Amino acid sequence: MDSRLFRTAMGKFATGVTVITTAVDDEIYGMTANAFMSVSVDPKLVLISIDEKAHMNNYVKSAGKFAVSILNEDQQDMSAYFAGQLKQHRTVPFNWFNDMPTIPNSLANLTCKVYDSVIAGDHTLYIGEVTDILIADGEPLTFFSGKYKQIHGPAEVK
Ligand code: FAD
């Protein structure tokens, strides 16, 4: 089967957008991800899927923990930046929450310790046990067919 057809079909599944963050030897790393889902309530588990080629894969493996920041509709720029689409380096003002770096002003921040991991083809699935949660009001940034959307219409170009 053609990979483009597969990607196009998967893009028909509308999602929110997150930034996964972790810290290794006092260095912080971030990566945009929409492969995120809730897995279990007891215990509280979530799942992320990281490309084997992404730097973040080794960082999460070494740290054994990660944080998930669920982006709001005004954080498209943050998503593009942590997807490596904006080439100019930035100094990002991370928040520290439960000893983990997170993206400030997100809809939710979750800190997680790695509960299990499975290599699945060209990605690694990390199941995280949620250790703390911070939530805020707002509307989500969404992603559909390779484009950012807002719940009430197209996202503003920033
Ligand atoms: P890098 O290229 O190393 O980092 C990304 C960018 O963040 C770089 O510009 C880097 O300089 C900057 N950066 C990182 N840490 C810091 C810091 N501490 N301070 C300042 N700048 C920093 N890939 C997946 O594997 N799984 C997914 O679920 C997924 N979902 C995606 C959803 C969307 C909407 C998009 C747009 C992309 C998605 N990607 C996903 C692709 C992924 O975000 C990119 O391929 C990413 O660049 C690869 O991660 P990396 O760790 O190699 O990042």
Side-chain angles (χ1 to χ4, degrees):
M1 187 195 299
D2 178 45
S3 297
R4 173 47 49 196
L5 175 65
F6 178 76
R7 282 169 178 269
T8 303
M10 294 305 104
K12 301 292 181 193
F13 185 60
T15 66
V17 182
T18 76
V19 173
I20 307 302
T21 43
T22 196
V24 179
D25 297 334
D26 292 333
E27 286 291 329
I28 300 175
Y29 303 97
M31 185 196 96
T32 300
N34 65 344
F36 164 73
M37 64 183 282
S38 167
V39 172
S40 159
V41 175
D42 185 19
K44 291 172 184 56
L45 303 177
V46 296
L47 182 143
I48 56 172
S49 174
I50 303 184
D51 194 323
E52 290 282 301
K53 292 192 294 293
H55 299 121
M56 183 55 81
N57 191 38
N58 281 332
Y59 300 142
V60 171
K61 211 179 286 173
S62 326
K65 53 189 184 173
F66 61 89
V68 181
S69 296
I70 300 176
L71 300 185
N72 71 40
E73 63 184 0
D74 297 324
Q75 293 177 308
Q76 181 178 326
D77 189 52
M78 202 61 94
S79 171
Y81 179 68
F82 281 108
Q85 293 166 345
L86 308 178
K87 292 301 165 207
Q88 200 156 12
H89 184 80
R90 296 180 177 188
T91 302
V92 177
F94 294 98
N95 262 355
W96 282 90
F97 172 56
N98 193 26
D99 277 339
M100 290 295 287
T102 57
I103 306 298
N105 307 315
S106 303
L107 285 184
N109 300 121
L110 295 84
T111 58
C112 306
K113 63 179 180 194
V114 173
Y115 178 90
D116 205 352
S117 65
V118 181
I119 297 173
D122 54 15
H123 279 56
T124 299
L125 309 179
Y126 289 96
I127 297 175
E129 181 162 11
V130 178
T131 50
D132 212 342
I133 294 176
L134 192 68
I135 55 174
D137 289 333
E139 296 296 328
L141 180 64
T142 60
F143 199 66
F144 173 69
S145 275
K147 292 193 174 69
Y148 294 103
K149 304 275 179 188
Q150 289 180 336
I151 291 287
H152 301 297
E156 209 180 288
V157 177
K158 304 245 161 107

